[in-house]
Amino acid sequence: MKVEEMEELIVPAGKYYVVSNPIRLACIGLGSCLAITMHDPRKGLGGLAHTMLPTYSDGHDKENPGKYTDMAIYLMIDELIELGGHKSGLKAKIVGGAQMFQNPNTDFLDIGKRNIDSAIRTLENEGICLVSKHVGGSKGRNVWFDVCTGMIDLQMGRNAMISI
Amino acid sequence: MKKKSAKGKQERRTKSLGLDLFQMDALQEIGNIAGAHVATTLSGIIGEMILVDFSESNAIFVENLPTSIGSPTDEVLAVYMKVCKDSKRKDNGMIFLVFPHEKALRISELFQKKPPESLKYLHEEDHAAIIEIGNICICSYLNALSKFLDSVFVPTPPAIASGMLGAILQLPASLAAEHSTYAIVINTKFIRGKDKVYGFLMFIPDLEMQKALLVRFGVDPEMKVRS
């Protein structure tokens, strides 16, 4: 199916979607949040999480675990396996985690970096292969994840679109 | 009719969060009071008449905060400062002054006395100018707040961000998510002549600050909220 014809679904902040149909999952206006994609190339399954905080213990809301980087990864792995995927075959990519506000005294604002670190650590602990990442910086990103191919198209600030 | 419907929607939303509309109206008043100070200050800085279009207060689920004042892809410039009470350095809230990118160009021209329409991009000195304007405006807001609450509120040094509105407002959303499922947002919109959106000032008080404001307004501060 051509990309232009594909249905697109925007994943809001704090949510994750796992799908088995040919669809593009998108995150629009990604700043300090992180987009984590997982793809099973053999089964054509995929998922995208739009997480806000690094770990489940960081946040107040315990009813929406998709807000948290570590928990969203665990849940996406479980749901991909339920749909017939194999954990050992999952390929992950991460995008986002920018530090939008620039000031020498605002290291505490770097939630983005903490999100990135949490994702890398959690994927490593789960034995999931992190095949690509486009993280950090001080500009927002728009992200489109093709569930069929596992490819991500992204645009950072006003830069040209790239694929990873 | 439309207004009634919007009011009904707000009522349903605030009730679902356990908030009282009377309390929300009281919090909104601070947006009118302090926002007017900012409009006067900004008018003085750039030599143009800036007015408050409206102020509103809303209880917003943290994940919806990035899209609460516009499209997530709107290009803006934002100045951020934390609000601390006295010398305790304890955070009492967050303030964001947001200008659409096009307006930031014009403001920077006026501030630096550059010819009109001469700026196409914001350079480092323009960012510095916007930071300075943001600093002055936010301090003006805090002065009004300090007088109103008979306390001293001081800001942290300003930080600036440029880019998509949705990406920028993910920061307050994430910071608020550490303590709550939603944020009380007091939003003031500024206009100038035919410019329907000249800028926004977004104040996100913490629970302690909310209570102090309600007491000052003579409203029951016992917030029946899920903190």
Side-chain angles (χ1 to χ4, degrees):
Chain A
M1 181 180 278
K2 286 181 185 172
V3 167
E4 292 79 24
E5 295 169 3
M6 249 184 222
E7 193 187 337
E8 185 174 298
L9 200 58
I10 293 175
V11 182
K15 301 285 181 197
Y16 69 94
Y17 294 161
V18 171
V19 294
S20 57
N21 48 330
I23 196 171
R24 284 215 303 175
L25 299 173
C27 287
I28 304 299
L30 197 63
S32 61
C33 290
L34 200 62
I36 306 153
T37 68
M38 278 193 210
H39 180 235
D40 186 328
R42 282 179 297 184
K43 298 279 182 179
L45 304 168
L48 188 155
H50 184 167
T51 64
M52 300 173 73
L53 287 170
T55 64
Y56 189 63
S57 57
D58 288 326
H60 178 85
D61 184 4
K62 303 303 181 193
E63 291 173 14
N64 292 297
K67 281 180 182 173
Y68 310 104
T69 298
D70 59 348
M71 199 52 81
I73 290 173
Y74 297 140
L75 291 168
M76 278 207 297
I77 293 171
D78 287 350
E79 292 190 21
L80 285 165
I81 291 170
E82 275 177 29
L83 285 172
H86 295 284
K87 188 175 178 182
S88 59
L90 293 178
K91 310 286 183 198
K93 296 179 183 180
I94 57 174
V95 179
Q99 184 176 8
M100 298 299 294
F101 285 88
Q102 299 298 305
N103 183 310
N105 300 316
T106 51
D107 287 348
F108 70 97
L109 299 177
D110 204 356
I111 289 176
K113 187 175 183 308
R114 286 163 49 205
N115 273 326
I116 297 163
D117 292 344
S118 174
I120 292 171
R121 193 171 52 243
T122 309
L123 289 167
E124 198 175 294
N125 290 344
E126 289 296 306
I128 305 294
C129 181
L130 175 61
V131 293
S132 189
K133 62 183 178 183
H134 193 280
V135 294
S138 61
K139 293 289 175 195
R141 294 171 172 90
N142 292 326
V143 174
W144 294 270
F145 171 55
D146 184 334
V147 174
C148 288
T149 63
M151 289 301 292
I152 291 177
D153 292 326
L154 71 94
Q155 187 176 27
M156 184 178 185
R158 293 177 181 179
N159 298 342
M161 187 89 80
I162 59 167
S163 297
I164 62 168
Chain B
M1 193 65 193
K2 198 176 173 185
K3 211 168 185 178
K4 191 178 176 184
S5 161
K7 190 88 175 170
K9 194 176 169 188
Q10 189 192 3
E11 191 165 7
R12 283 196 298 281
R13 184 169 56 191
T14 52
K15 272 186 178 172
S16 72
L17 290 171
L19 293 174
D20 181 332
L21 271 185
F22 195 54
Q23 293 171 327
M24 297 301 284
D25 282 347
L27 291 175
Q28 180 179 313
E29 265 313 296
I30 197 66
N32 287 324
I33 296 166
H37 278 72
V38 174
T40 306
T41 305
L42 190 54
S43 300
I45 292 170
I46 63 173
E48 303 256 348
M49 179 66 84
I50 307 297
L51 300 170
V52 171
D53 187 23
F54 65 79
S55 286
E56 60 180 3
S57 67
N58 283 305
I60 299 172
F61 285 109
V62 290
E63 54 271 32
N64 297 333
L65 206 152
T67 52
S68 62
I69 59 169
S71 162
T73 54
D74 287 348
E75 287 288 323
V76 301
L77 222 74
V79 179
Y80 164 65
M81 294 167 98
K82 266 196 313 182
V83 181
C84 306
K85 190 178 177 186
D86 304 321
S87 56
K88 291 177 187 169
R89 312 306 295 177
K90 180 189 170 299
D91 302 356
N92 271 131
M94 304 178 255
I95 296 189
F96 294 82
L97 186 61
V98 181
F99 296 115
H101 189 262
E102 189 60 28
K103 300 296 179 292
L105 290 170
R106 304 291 84 83
I107 290 169
S108 184
E109 285 167 0
L110 288 165
F111 185 67
Q112 298 178 87
K113 304 201 184 317
K114 290 180 178 175
E117 310 279 328
S118 60
L119 280 179
K120 301 295 176 209
Y121 304 98
L122 289 165
H123 305 281
E124 205 170 316
E125 68 268 23
D126 304 307
H127 279 184
I130 299 292
I131 286 180
E132 192 52 38
I133 291 167
N135 191 9
I136 296 166
C137 289
I138 290 173
C139 285
S140 160
Y141 194 94
L142 290 182
N143 282 343
L145 207 61
S146 297
K147 276 183 193 169
F148 186 70
L149 291 175
D150 200 20
S151 297
V152 177
F153 292 103
V154 290
T156 56
I160 191 165
S162 161
M164 288 184 283
L165 177 66
I168 287 171
L169 292 185
Q170 280 183 355
L171 176 78
S174 295
L175 291 173
E178 290 180 339
H179 308 290
S180 182
T181 53
Y182 72 95
I184 298 293
V185 178
I186 302 171
N187 190 26
T188 305
K189 183 185 164 195
F190 302 103
I191 54 171
R192 187 204 70 157
K194 290 177 183 172
D195 290 331
K196 292 297 176 196
V197 183
Y198 201 72
F200 285 97
L201 194 140
M202 185 182 262
F203 176 39
I204 308 173
D206 74 347
L207 199 59
E208 187 184 324
M209 173 80 87
Q210 291 165 32
K211 285 183 177 176
L213 288 167
L214 290 172
V215 168
R216 184 68 181 85
F217 276 114
V219 175
D220 180 6
E222 284 310 309
M223 313 272 289
K224 301 175 188 68
V225 296
R226 298 180 304 195
S227 60

